[in-house]
Amino acid sequence: MDNAFVVVDIGAVRMAVPVAEVVQGIATPARLDVLPRRGAAAGAGAIIGLFNHLGQPLALLDLALWVKLGDDDAPRRYRRALIVRADGHTVAIAVDAVRGLHRIGADSITRISHDIDQNEIFHSVARCTGIDGVVNVLDVRRLMALAMTWSGDEAGAREASAVAAPRFCAATHVTAAYAVVAGSGCGIGFALGDLREV
């Protein structure tokens, strides 16, 4: 039985993502906001910015910050973003081009890496009709666990990780007032109840 994958190019790497985990391919957003993070060593080190997609903020990941995608180490300028979702969690991946939908037979997928290192997001490759060489199959669930950054289902997020959701991510039907302070290239929101003086 054949499986459907979306195939994309990122640098010298061709990547296949199961179509069931792909939401949409879009042009790279013109505006990216900053998500200030302390530790680049954490999964958040791959975040290159946030953007608004249909009213929802999404993080954009650059996989080149985690794995080597070719001989060129210079920062890349991506033309597209692939929005992926797994277990109610949604994130975007910066890519160079979307090659479209391809059917890949189950017997054409080969697991190459047999370690159990949860920091690796590629372990299998596939042969794809019409494409020379192999395509690397992205493990989207490992990507989500490694990035620890997503938009979406908070209940699913709590089940996927043993870490409790922050108190400001309470039920989505609750609204709260925030003060927004302009920073250098970003805005920082403070709950009004926590703000004493400006």
Side-chain angles (χ1 to χ4, degrees):
M1 181 169 138
D2 286 352
N3 302 302
F5 290 81
V6 174
V7 176
V8 300
D9 292 336
I10 312 178
V13 171
R14 291 192 182 98
M15 180 175 78
V17 184
V19 72
E21 295 172 333
V22 174
V23 176
Q24 189 177 6
I26 61 171
T28 300
R31 175 191 168 105
L32 287 176
D33 293 313
V34 175
L35 178 65
R37 301 288 290 170
R38 284 181 52 226
I47 298 172
I48 55 176
L50 301 173
F51 66 96
N52 180 26
H53 180 69
L54 303 177
Q56 180 183 41
L58 290 181
L60 182 63
L61 304 180
D62 181 356
L63 299 187
L65 298 173
W66 281 343
V67 293
K68 194 163 181 66
L69 298 176
D71 296 329
D72 185 8
D73 290 329
R76 304 192 56 76
R77 292 190 179 273
Y78 297 100
R79 295 184 4 220
R80 309 285 294 167
L82 189 71
I83 302 172
V84 297
R85 178 182 297 138
D87 300 325
H89 308 154
T90 307
V91 73
I93 304 167
V95 301
D96 291 315
V98 177
R99 287 180 169 255
L101 189 64
H102 290 263
R103 296 246 173 227
I104 301 175
D107 59 347
S108 295
I109 299 174
T110 304
R111 184 161 184 137
I112 297 296
S113 175
H114 297 273
D115 63 25
I116 57 170
D117 186 351
Q118 296 301 311
N119 290 321
E120 298 296 340
I121 54 176
F122 297 107
H123 49 69
S124 299
V125 297
R127 296 180 313 282
C128 188
T129 304
I131 296 178
D132 290 335
V134 296
V135 294
N136 293 271
V137 179
L138 176 68
D139 188 325
V140 176
R141 282 174 176 77
R142 276 194 183 184
L143 171 76
M144 296 292 184
L146 183 59
M148 288 304 294
T149 304
W150 56 71
S151 298
D153 176 19
E154 280 303 316
R158 285 190 294 275
E159 289 173 12
S161 68
V163 180
R167 66 179 178 84
F168 56 82
C169 289
T172 55
H173 67 277
V174 176
T175 58
Y178 287 85
V180 178
V181 178
S184 178
C186 69
I188 303 172
F190 297 92
L192 282 181
D194 296 338
L195 194 63
R196 300 275 178 161
E197 185 178 344
V198 178

